[in-house]
C-alpha cells in the first residue's frame, strides 16, 4: 500500500508489533515508551506513557486489560 504519513515516536527502534484494541493503536517502544494513536489517514497521538523497563514483546489485550512484558516485570494496565 501507499504510505499515508511517517512519524517518529520513540528514541529507540520498535521491536514489538502494533496492537489494535478498543479503536486505538498501541505501539510499545523498546525505550520504555507506550504510545497510543488514533487510527486513520491523519496522524493523531492520543497518549504517551513511560514505564521503568525495557520492552521487545508485543502488547497483549484481554478483557479490556493491556499486558506488557518487560525484561524485569509484567504490567497489566486497565484503561
Amino acid at each position: 500500500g501507499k504510505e499515508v504519513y511517517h512519524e517518529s515516536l520513540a528514541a529507540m527502534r520498535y521491536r514489538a508489533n502494533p496492537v489494535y484494541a478498543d479503536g486505538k493503536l498501541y505501539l510499545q517502544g523498546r525505550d520504555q515508551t507506550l504510545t497510543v494513536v488514533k487510527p486513520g489517514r491523519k496522524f493523531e497521538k492520543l497518549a504517551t506513557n513511560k514505564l521503568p523497563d525495557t520492552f521487545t514483546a508485543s502488547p497483549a489485550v484481554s478483557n479490556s486489560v493491556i499486558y506488557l512484558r518487560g525484561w524485569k516485570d509484567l504490567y497489566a494496565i486497565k484503561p
Side-chain angles (χ1 to χ4, degrees), residues 7-63:
E7 294 290 331
S8 180
L9 299 172
M12 296 176 77
R13 66 182 167 166
Y14 285 86
R15 289 197 165 168
N17 292 314
V19 172
Y20 178 82
D22 193 31
K24 300 171 190 79
L25 282 172
Y26 295 86
L27 303 127
Q28 180 63 63
R30 188 170 185 221
D31 68 344
Q32 307 174 342
T33 304
L34 175 68
T35 305
V36 184
V37 176
K38 182 178 178 181
R41 298 192 64 78
K42 178 184 171 198
F43 177 76
E44 185 177 345
K45 181 167 47 171
L46 301 174
T48 301
N49 302 282
K50 291 269 190 177
L51 292 168
D53 211 334
T54 301
F55 298 89
T56 54
S58 300
V61 180
S62 179
N63 295 324

Side-chain angles (χ1 to χ4, degrees), residues 51 60 62 64-69 73-79:
L51 292 168
S62 179
S64 300
V65 178
I66 302 166
Y67 296 94
L68 306 169
R69 184 177 57 84
D73 294 305
L74 174 66
Y75 301 84
I77 301 168
K78 185 162 181 143

